[in-house]
Amino acid sequence: MPRVLVVNGPNLNLLGTREPEVYGTQTLADIEAQCAIRAEALGLEVEFRQSNHEGELVDWIQAASKDFGALIINAGAFSHTSVALLDALQAVTVPVIEVHLSNIYRREAFRHHSYVSKAADGVICGLGGAGYRLALDAIAETLTGKSS
Ligand code: DQA
């Protein structure tokens, strides 16, 4: 069964209470639970992680090609700042999908550029937690040829 790594960056551990008018009221655990259900239906295995530390995210990304068949990443604010994450992602050999809960293009100008996007095969933003599930759908189509 193809394994998918879902990597979440800084402050996403605060979902549910963090700026609910921007990010909604779902917690990261809620999103993880919904992803597990969707992954099972799609014949995928999903592993969900979150870190506030750039270096830890780099370590996870570096290991992704070896241990997983695809990577979903919401790098949070590091999306807009981190060349280190971009470099790590450019070395990844499996499909990469970037997700943002909010529509970063409707927000402050500094959120309009994402280093992650340069290394991503696809980008989903503005659809809240559903974006993660849609990313899994896209990965299933790519990896198993199965569409939902
Ligand atoms: C975010 C958007 C980023 O600009 C922000 O820094 C986040 C969350 C999103 O999911 O909408 O932390 O990645």
Side-chain angles (χ1 to χ4, degrees), residues 27 53 102 133 148:
T27 65
H53 305 282
S102 63
R133 303 196 296 280
S148 53

Side-chain angles (χ1 to χ4, degrees), residues 7-65:
V7 168
N8 292 281
N11 300 306
L12 292 168
N13 55 315
L14 300 178
L15 284 182
T17 53
R18 172 193 183 200
E19 298 182 87
E21 66 288 356
V22 177
Y23 298 114
T25 53
Q26 272 196 318
T27 65
L28 199 59
D30 293 335
I31 294 172
E32 179 176 1
Q34 290 176 334
C35 280
I37 292 167
R38 179 65 63 95
E40 198 183 341
L42 292 167
L44 300 171
E45 199 180 303
V46 74
E47 183 164 325
F48 225 78
R49 298 183 192 167
Q50 188 278 330
S51 176
N52 292 325
H53 305 282
E54 190 174 18
E56 188 164 35
L57 296 168
V58 169
D59 288 343
W60 291 344
I61 292 165
Q62 283 186 6
S65 307

